[in-house]
């Protein structure tokens, strides 16, 4: 068959469609829509920084629009999603529980898992005592245990019980049953997911261990599906599988029809699409996938996980700076990429002052050399207002823009979109 060739804007549209970011949500959010959103992305990264809403909530808002944050906790407690080490600490659909457990045990090399394995070797007696305690008393939080050494603060200052809980979680003996005020509540895995764990135990007893090669293949295919269109070298980062892939590693999958090979104008490498996105590929090639969504993205959104991918697909060089010493930051502490109708056109450093009801844009930077149109300015202003309202901080304050001349026009547009609706 002739090779499908996409322009770069068409490839962007296909990627955004696969990620649920091509067009604004057509309907009001529902708990089912939230579950489908996570299933479409296949992973929802967890991070605790909350100068604005914590990342998993913001990633969902970018795709769903206004929704109550507690829906995420309810979805976890109801067993529709679970927590796992994958790209990093992530929520994932319950249907993938055994795949992630199997891959974590058989193949995944990650610092969180490596630390857990060392803990199992060095402090197994303490881990067994903690498991026995949970078996008897029920689910626990780290805060249920009193700290005895007076330390704490950062992850490297965790008390022993927190370290033990995390080690047992990482290797699968414990799962996160629910969250309370975003704090993990741990329970025995077989009590959190009894059916899945029973099936796993039965398979192991029957002499059918986890098939590392099959799981590796599954995660490759799921990565390509989630990305919409991708080069081979970007595939491994989505689920943090090893090693980084080359075209030769995907050749057999193309030959059997498990992946489609395409070309993208300007790329010096082949590209790949999952067959489940064949209809989207056809629309992209026909120029009928039209990006119309404008929103603010989390720094931990899958669209910007991979710095090289973001640069190649969007000509957008993005690096998270909240872990960078302040004097070395270029753009700010918690900088949100701005998606506008298929392009990443800038970034803003935001802070939600919840007590004051103020959403502060500490600094907004357009892409170097770019000049926003009036339509882009208006769309971004509306996106900022919508994000501010969802945060419960409806008063928008824009402190600084680069270029400086954009601040006036953006403030005027924000004022228009912030104005209360006139009664009919």
């Amino acid at each position: 068959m002739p090779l499908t060739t996409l322009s770069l804007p068409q490839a962007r549209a296909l990627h955004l469609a696969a990620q649920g970011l091509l067009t604004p949500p057509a309907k009001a959010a529902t708990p089912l829509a939230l579950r489908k959103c996570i299933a479409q992305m296949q992973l929802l990264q967890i991070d605790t920084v909350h100068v604005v809403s914590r990342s998993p909530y913001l990633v969902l808002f970018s795709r769903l629009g206004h929704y109550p944050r507690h829906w995420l906790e309810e979805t976890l407690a109801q067993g529709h999603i679970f927590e796992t080490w994958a790209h990093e600490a992530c929520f994932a659909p319950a249907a993938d529980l055994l795949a992630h457990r199997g891959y974590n045990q058989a193949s995944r090399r990650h610092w969180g898992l490596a630390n857990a394995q060392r803990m199992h070797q060095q402090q197994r007696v303490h881990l067994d005592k903690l498991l026995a305690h949970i078996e008897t008393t029920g689910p626990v939080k780290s805060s249920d245990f009193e700290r005895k050494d007076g330390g704490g603060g950062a992850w490297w200052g965790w008390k022993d019980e927190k370290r033990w809980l995390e080690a047992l979680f990482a290797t699968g003996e414990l799962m996160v049953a629910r969250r309370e005020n975003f704090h993990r509540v741990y329970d025995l895995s077989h009590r959190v997911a009894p059916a899945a764990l029973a099936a796993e135990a039965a398979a192991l007893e029957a002499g059918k261990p986890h098939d590392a090669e099959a799981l590796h293949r599954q995660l490759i295919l799921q990565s390509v599906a989630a990305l919409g269109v991708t080069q081979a070298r970007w595939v491994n980062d989505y689920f943090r599988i090893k090693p980084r892939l080359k075209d030769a590693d995907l050749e057999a999958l193309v030959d059997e029809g498990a992946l489609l090979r395409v070309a993208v104008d300007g790329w010096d490498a082949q590209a790949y699409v999952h067959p489940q996105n064949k209809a989207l590929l056809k629309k992209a090639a026909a120029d009928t996938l039209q990006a119309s969504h404008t929103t603010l993205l989390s720094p931990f959104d899958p669209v910007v996980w991979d710095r090289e991918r973001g640069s190649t697909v969007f000509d957008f060089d993005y690096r998270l700076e909240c872990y960078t010493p302040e004097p070395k930051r270029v753009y700010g502490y918690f900088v949100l990429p701005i998606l506008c109708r298929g392009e990443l056109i800038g970034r803003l450093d935001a802070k939600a002052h919840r007590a004051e009801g103020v959403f502060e844009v500490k600094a907004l930077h357009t892409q170097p050399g770019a000049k926003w149109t009036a339509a882009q300015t208006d769309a971004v202003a509306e996106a900022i207002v919508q994000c501010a309202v969802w945060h419960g901080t409806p008063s928008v304050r824009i402190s600084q823009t680069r270029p400086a001349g954009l601040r006036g026009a953006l403030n005027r547009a924000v004022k228009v979109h912030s104005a209360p609706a006139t009664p009919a």
Side-chain angles (χ1 to χ4, degrees), residues 208-421:
K208 298 177 181 178
H210 296 294
D211 186 335
E213 185 176 340
L215 292 170
H216 187 72
R217 169 194 165 96
Q218 177 182 335
L219 293 180
I220 288 173
L221 294 176
Q222 289 184 208
S223 299
V224 178
L227 288 168
V229 59
T230 179
Q231 294 182 17
R233 59 186 288 106
W234 304 333
V235 172
N236 75 298
D237 180 69
Y238 206 82
F239 287 104
R240 293 281 164 85
I241 59 178
K242 299 288 185 179
R244 175 173 276 198
L245 302 177
K246 300 178 180 178
D247 290 319
D249 299 311
L250 302 182
E251 192 71 35
L253 294 172
V254 173
D255 289 344
E256 68 183 73
L259 288 179
L260 307 174
R261 186 185 287 115
V262 301
V264 177
D265 289 339
W267 289 8
D268 59 1
Q270 300 173 36
Y272 301 87
V273 173
H274 193 283
Q276 80 172 40
N277 290 324
K278 194 171 183 178
L280 289 177
L281 172 62
K282 186 176 180 180
K283 290 180 179 179
D287 239 3
T288 57
L289 283 184
Q290 295 298 318
S292 58
H293 191 30
T294 299
T295 191
L296 308 182
L297 301 181
S298 162
F300 301 101
D301 194 291
V303 169
V304 292
W305 273 350
D306 187 315
R307 189 175 182 183
E308 180 190 295
R309 170 162 53 85
S311 179
T312 303
V313 177
F314 292 100
D315 192 23
F316 189 81
D317 186 28
Y318 181 73
R319 182 168 66 90
L320 180 65
E321 296 182 314
C322 63
Y323 304 115
T324 301
E326 186 172 359
K328 295 183 178 181
R329 291 177 195 148
V330 177
Y331 294 109
Y333 178 75
F334 201 70
V335 173
L336 312 182
I338 302 170
L339 175 68
C340 183
R341 299 169 183 169
E343 299 179 275
L344 294 176
I345 65 169
R347 65 200 83 202
L348 62 86
D349 186 22
K351 181 176 178 58
H353 300 275
R354 295 169 179 85
E356 305 167 35
V358 172
F359 189 86
E360 181 186 7
V361 178
K362 300 172 73 173
L364 183 150
H365 298 258
T366 65
Q367 277 288 77
K371 183 177 181 180
W372 287 3
T373 65
Q376 287 175 320
T377 302
D378 184 73
V380 171
E382 183 176 12
I384 292 172
V385 169
Q386 291 298 316
C387 191
V389 170
W390 176 69
H391 274 87
T393 53
S395 179
V396 175
R397 182 168 70 221
I398 300 174
S399 300
Q400 178 180 259
T401 64
R402 291 289 182 270
L406 177 63
R407 183 168 177 260
L410 194 60
N411 267 321
R412 288 190 293 273
V414 162
K415 186 175 181 181
V416 170
H417 289 290
S418 300

Side-chain angles (χ1 to χ4, degrees), residues 160-202:
D160 286 339
E161 288 83 0
K162 175 62 174 175
R163 293 179 185 275
W164 299 335
L165 288 167
E166 286 297 314
L168 290 165
F169 162 73
T171 53
E173 290 172 85
L174 295 180
M175 289 181 65
V176 178
R178 61 184 184 276
R179 281 184 177 253
E180 295 179 359
N181 296 321
F182 210 69
H183 296 292
R184 283 173 165 169
V185 179
Y186 306 83
D187 199 0
L188 302 177
S189 295
H190 69 81
R191 293 202 296 224
V192 178
L197 271 291
E200 180 184 62

Side-chain angles (χ1 to χ4, degrees), residues 114-128 160 163-164 167:
N115 288 345
Q117 289 161 0
R118 284 194 297 271
M119 191 75 67
H120 277 255
Q121 295 168 359
Q122 299 167 3
Q123 301 197 38
R124 188 67 236 185
V125 172
H126 295 294
L127 299 180
D128 287 339
D160 286 339
R163 293 179 185 275
W164 299 335

Side-chain angles (χ1 to χ4, degrees), residues 45-117:
Q45 187 175 341
I46 301 167
D47 193 84
T48 58
V49 178
H50 60 286
V51 291
V52 293
S53 273
R54 290 183 174 93
S55 178
Y57 304 107
L58 185 55
V59 170
L60 292 171
F61 169 76
S62 298
R63 290 157 173 80
L64 297 173
H66 292 253
Y67 74 97
R69 290 168 186 77
H70 64 80
W71 282 359
L72 181 58
E73 282 80 2
E74 291 172 358
T75 300
L76 175 65
Q78 292 163 1
H80 298 298
I81 58 175
F82 69 102
E83 295 193 29
T84 184
W85 283 106
H87 179 84
E88 287 292 341
C90 291
F91 297 107
D96 290 339
L97 172 59
L98 293 186
H100 282 288
R101 282 177 62 86
Y103 193 76
N104 284 349
Q105 293 168 18
S107 301
R108 182 170 277 128
R109 297 191 294 275
H110 190 286
W111 66 266
L113 297 173
N115 288 345
Q117 289 161 0

